[in-house]
Amino acid sequence: MDMGRLDGEVAIVTGASRGLGRATALALAAEGAAVAVVARTEQVWDDRLPGTIGETVHQIEAAGGRAVAIRADLLDRDDIPRLVEHARSALGPITVLVNNAAFTAPGRPGGAPRRTAVRAAAPRPDWPPFVGTPLPAFRRHFEIAVFAPYELMQLTAPGMIEAGHGAIINISSVASRIPGSGPYNDVSGGILPGYGGSKAALEHLTSSAAYELARHNISVNALSPSLPMMTPGLSYYRTDFDETGSEDEFAEAVVRLALVEPAQVTGRTIGHREVLDGSYLPFRS
């Protein structure tokens, strides 16, 4: 491969078997980074959700890149330190972390719950949906999108401090700002309290970590799609969008955020189009 903008860097990308995670892993590798491709999916179990970690690694290696597939379940607390150690031993010190994994439909293979759930009251037709959503289902969003990134940042930050630089990109969503402040005259649209709430918490975690890591030359930013991305996860819900963005352009925005100067660009929640259009963003040389 030709010299890339990320030669010598080692990245972890979670949720990298398909969608934005897969596109991000390919883009980082194309720029010279060695990539730990992390997800649960070793084989396709639902045709609506194609892609495996092995396929992502195969595509990277076929293009001349370096990668390792790491099967990990972010709901399993033991898997998190294991995946970091596996990535470090296989590829070297981690300098880029992309927390992309999220909880989306249709959930886990077979729909089997991780633990015995206490059921919420069966909702009446006129009750709001959240009344019938069990707490474990709501909590799962935070386990994957907040608690796992928190621990992954804790485990990778010391190596970035020792390396003298690093970049953490947390993938967020406009769902963190929906429905916004009331009152609400129109309640015909849908909201995602678990997904959106976990992304809002991830954005606050981003700024908090950025505040503490800035003096160590480590950038921490949250990247949100500026447009709906027709990933397998989103297309499971709906496809009737007037305009959509591409996975490849989103992945390019991740690459650029991995290159920003932490002293000037950190602690931000930023749309991917803003990154691509923002020639003002100062990058590391």
Side-chain angles (χ1 to χ4, degrees), residues 91-219:
L91 302 174
I94 310 303
T95 52
V96 178
L97 171 64
V98 182
N99 285 308
N100 167 73
F103 174 54
T104 55
R108 311 181 67 79
R114 292 282 300 178
R115 56 180 67 87
T116 301
V118 177
R119 294 186 179 275
R124 295 193 325 220
D126 58 332
W127 285 1
F130 88 87
V131 174
T133 302
L135 179 60
F138 183 76
R139 181 184 289 122
R140 185 172 295 171
H141 294 87
F142 289 80
E143 292 279 359
I144 294 174
V146 183
F147 302 148
Y150 180 88
E151 191 169 1
L152 286 167
M153 286 191 279
Q154 281 190 323
L155 291 170
T156 57
M160 296 181 188
I161 293 171
E162 291 179 1
H165 73 279
I168 298 170
I169 301 100
N170 295 321
I171 306 306
S172 191
S173 168
V174 69
S176 69
R177 296 173 287 284
I178 296 173
S181 300
Y184 307 107
N185 297 319
D186 180 3
V187 293
S188 60
I191 59 171
L192 299 169
Y195 182 79
S198 66
K199 293 300 187 182
L202 180 63
E203 291 171 7
H204 186 271
L205 175 59
T206 295
S207 59
S208 298
Y211 181 84
E212 295 195 352
L213 293 174
R215 66 183 181 274
H216 296 289
N217 199 35
I218 300 170
S219 65

Side-chain angles (χ1 to χ4, degrees), residues 18-20 23-24 229-232 245-252:
R18 57 179 172 265
L20 297 181
T24 294
M229 296 285 170
M230 201 45 59
T231 61
S246 76
E247 294 176 357
D248 289 343
E249 70 175 16
F250 186 87
E252 170 61 20

Side-chain angles (χ1 to χ4, degrees), residues 53-136:
I53 52 177
E55 290 171 358
T56 303
V57 168
H58 176 75
Q59 195 167 346
I60 289 172
E61 292 178 340
R66 185 167 163 239
V68 60
I70 303 177
R71 198 273 180 194
D73 185 342
L74 298 187
L75 288 176
D76 186 334
R77 301 264 65 89
D78 292 336
D79 270 11
I80 294 175
R82 179 188 61 78
L83 81 85
V84 172
E85 182 54 37
H86 187 167
R88 186 183 293 120
S89 62
L91 302 174
I94 310 303
T95 52
V96 178
L97 171 64
V98 182
N99 285 308
N100 167 73
F103 174 54
T104 55
R108 311 181 67 79
R114 292 282 300 178
R115 56 180 67 87
T116 301
V118 177
R119 294 186 179 275
R124 295 193 325 220
D126 58 332
W127 285 1
F130 88 87
V131 174
T133 302
L135 179 60

